[in-house]
């Protein structure tokens, strides 16, 4: 596989992951369409295994890995959905998953990793401690690192969500995804480029974690410094692999306020009757804040995940 | 159409409603299956148009009605999902819907009826006032009453959910539905009898609104007196048409506590990532309370609806 996943890589990922993940439904609401004066189709990765699109990339990465590389298991640092998804994928292939998690990770997420048999090492809640602890874990275990987004097999896996969306509900004017580290967005942009090239790709990002927006428009990598957003899946910086794909294949990145994210999240819960995490609501927030020409357009939105603490809702 | 819907009536309803309702997805969670040691398949009528299975029956009733009968519109009394579903169906056929609603109906439900163009008359919040007000409305408008459940075209419409569930995820040991007035349950039992006759039908009902349970086991109609349950869709009594169908075609009715309903509701939200109203959680509550032999069984559950007030959750 070359660095930038090809059409063939994505087709191959689709086949590899098929027995292990859901082909998630695409849902729409006439009520919401009426309210917003456009046609919205939500690709529901919140209904994916382990509650997020991350299961796609993790399964593809683990199941395409050479036997020799994987014999000592896989490892990553993550406080979120990638941790559970990688643990699940490793369990499916019968290998170990070593997960470095910040000690203040939510109980729900720690529980999910344990449920899938992940071997947790706790660290301090900062990037330096995460990376240092992961280095130690890799040294002790000889496991292979599976980065949450800066990895071509991960990107190919995430790309399958947009591919399915195009196949199932076709001919979109626009497809939207949220952007954090850029794994989902770069996969989405590649899938659209290969399988629906007339469709425009627009990413949405919290104003308070706008590294992708800044990097995209300043045309140089700008890291995420002190991101402060409720969209906890979008606090990470772009990667050296995801950034150039995004620069080349994404048409626009727009930013949204925290208030709009919460409003969009509640609107999806109310009208679509599905549980989405704040990160998933960021594209709809861009519509609510009128950040691009959406009226009368047919728009596909990738709902990234649904892992939230029901005892701690933002309204 | 005879009083008890036939196989042909249900097949006909499927065709009639097809352009106007969603074929809702069937979802499952390996996590939940693992936890409960059985295989659960949820037929997601919370993702149905207007947020509940009621859209099926309402569309079938309105679209099978003679032109002469419907020329002055349709009418019903309802504080809940039938009101919105009937308003929507009437709008689709280009006729008026007159809805009698208790003055203390939730703002969300009043809004939904208005959204679909229903013409609301408010009444006091008791059955006598509802029926009296509906009589007056019928007299003034010459509209045709569409009862929420004691009506064969309504029952045939509701039956299509279980028919689709059997078609899509087939060969169930057990299919479960909640029971209120019995429209969904009698339709479900008939569909299973015609299309999957080896499958057992088990209904679940709140202990604090157990008129169906009492009627079923005492073999005589016992009305719902002062029902006090969070499952607001299940407070009504069985009807003269639904009760005999349930007596003949349902295998068992079990009752559940309020605590179990809330626990089951939260479990569905957390694990399935979908919004369900308390009534929808009643069958899962029966599994949590171990009310029948469910271990290692393949069980289909009809999720009835997803209309809840997100600012007023029971946990």
């Amino acid at each position: 596989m070359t660095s930038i996943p090809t059409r063939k890589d994505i087709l191959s990922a689709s086949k590899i992951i098929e027995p292990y993940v859901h082909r998630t439904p695409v849902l729409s609401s006439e009520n919401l369409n009426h309210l917003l004066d456009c046609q919205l189709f939500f690709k529901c990765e919140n209904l994916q295994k382990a509650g997020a699109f991350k299961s796609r990339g993790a399964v593809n990465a683990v199941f395409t890995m050479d036997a020799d590389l994987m014999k000592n298991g896989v490892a990553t640092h993550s406080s979120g959905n990638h941790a559970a998804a990688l643990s699940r994928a490793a369990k499916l292939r019968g290998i170990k998953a070593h997960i470095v998690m910040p000690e203040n990770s939510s109980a729900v997420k720690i529980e999910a990793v344990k449920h899938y048999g992940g071997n947790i090492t706790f660290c301090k809640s900062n990037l330096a401690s995460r990376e240092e602890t992961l280095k130690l874990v890799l040294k002790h275990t000889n496991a292979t690192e599976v980065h949450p987004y800066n990895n071509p097999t991960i990107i190919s896996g995430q790309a399958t969500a947009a591919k399915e969306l195009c196949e199932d509900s076709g001919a979109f004017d626009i497809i939207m995804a949220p952007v954090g580290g850029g794994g989902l967005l770069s996969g989405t942009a590649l899938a659209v480029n290969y399988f629906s090239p007339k469709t425009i790709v627009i990413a949405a990002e919290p104003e308070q974690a706008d590294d992708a927006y800044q990097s995209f428009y300043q045309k140089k990598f700008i890291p995420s410094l002190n991101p402060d957003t409720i969209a906890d899946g979008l606090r990470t910086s772009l990667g050296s692999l995801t950034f150039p794909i995004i620069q080349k294949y994404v048409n626009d990145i727009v930013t949204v306020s925290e208030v709009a994210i919460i409003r969009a999240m509640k609107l999806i819960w109310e009208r679509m009757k599905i549980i989405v995490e704040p990160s998933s609501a960021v594209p709809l927030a861009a519509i609510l804040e009128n950040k691009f020409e959406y009226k009368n357009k047919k728009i596909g939105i990738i709902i990234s995940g649904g892992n939230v603490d029901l005892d701690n809702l933002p309204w």
Side-chain angles (χ1 to χ4, degrees), chain A:
Chain A
M1 182 179 277
T2 59
S3 292
I4 294 183
T6 63
R7 179 190 180 93
K8 206 173 141 191
D9 292 331
I10 297 172
L11 290 170
S12 156
S14 279
K15 282 207 183 124
I16 287 166
I17 69 175
E18 200 242 325
Y20 307 110
V21 303
H22 288 303
R23 185 172 184 111
T24 51
V26 179
L27 300 178
S28 59
S29 156
E30 62 183 6
N31 196 303
L32 203 54
N33 291 347
H34 180 82
L35 185 74
L36 297 172
D37 212 7
C38 58
Q39 275 181 279
L40 299 177
F41 294 79
F42 295 89
K43 174 68 172 168
C44 291
E45 291 297 300
N46 56 326
L47 306 179
Q48 188 50 272
K49 299 278 188 187
F53 73 91
K54 296 278 188 184
S55 284
R56 295 175 182 269
V59 166
N60 193 47
V62 166
F63 279 76
T64 51
M65 199 174 279
D66 287 345
D68 195 49
L69 267 178
M70 69 168 204
K71 69 173 192 276
N72 296 312
V74 289
T76 198
H77 65 78
S78 163
S79 60
N81 293 330
H82 178 62
L86 188 66
S87 301
R88 178 177 173 273
K91 193 181 181 188
L92 286 168
R93 202 164 178 196
I95 62 174
K96 282 196 174 154
H98 303 281
I99 311 291
V100 173
M101 295 187 86
E103 58 199 1
N104 65 349
S105 301
S106 79
V108 173
K109 295 199 165 162
I110 293 170
E111 204 42 57
V113 171
K114 285 184 181 165
H115 170 75
Y116 294 117
N119 186 8
I120 302 174
T121 306
F122 289 103
C123 68
K124 293 234 158 63
S125 174
N126 62 65
L127 189 61
S129 171
R130 283 182 177 215
E131 289 181 341
E132 201 175 301
T133 309
L134 179 58
K135 257 187 202 162
L136 282 171
V137 166
L138 290 169
K139 195 176 160 192
H140 286 303
T141 61
N142 276 317
T144 297
E145 184 183 355
V146 178
H147 192 277
Y149 50 88
N150 212 37
N151 173 325
T153 56
I154 291 282
I155 294 172
S156 296
Q158 321 304 30
T160 58
K163 175 176 167 283
E164 291 173 12
L165 175 59
C166 292
E167 286 166 359
D168 291 349
S169 307
F172 288 103
D173 297 310
I174 300 167
I175 284 185
M176 301 189 74
V179 55
L184 178 64
L185 178 59
S186 56
T188 299
L190 289 172
V192 168
N193 176 59
Y194 299 137
F195 305 109
S196 183
K198 288 182 183 166
T199 299
I200 282 173
V201 175
I202 299 180
E205 188 178 38
E207 273 165 19
Q208 294 180 194
D210 69 346
D211 63 292
Y213 172 82
Q214 295 296 343
S215 301
F216 188 75
Y217 279 105
Q218 295 190 36
K219 299 185 192 340
K220 64 179 183 187
F221 174 73
I222 293 171
S224 185
L225 294 175
N226 306 315
D228 177 23
T229 172
I230 190 175
D232 58 329
L234 308 181
R235 291 176 192 147
T236 40
S237 304
L238 293 179
S240 58
L241 177 55
T242 55
F243 179 37
I245 298 173
I246 288 166
Q247 266 195 307
K248 185 162 179 190
Y249 296 103
V250 171
N251 297 83
D252 196 5
I253 299 182
V254 296
T255 62
V256 300
S257 70
E258 295 295 299
V259 169
I261 296 172
I262 295 170
R263 211 184 124 214
M265 180 176 165
K266 197 175 181 191
L267 199 59
I268 294 173
W269 286 42
E270 276 174 357
R271 308 298 169 109
M272 306 293 303
K273 316 295 181 194
I274 55 174
I275 307 248
V276 301
E277 55 190 61
S279 303
S280 299
V282 169
L284 184 63
I287 290 175
L288 296 183
E289 290 198 312
N290 212 1
K291 288 297 177 86
F292 63 97
E293 285 292 330
Y294 67 87
K295 295 241 168 179
N296 301 311
K297 298 273 198 285
K298 180 173 175 181
I299 304 172
I301 292 180
I302 317 264
I303 293 289
S304 50
N307 294 321
V308 287
D309 179 354
L310 293 178
D311 292 317
N312 191 15
L313 299 177
W315 55 76

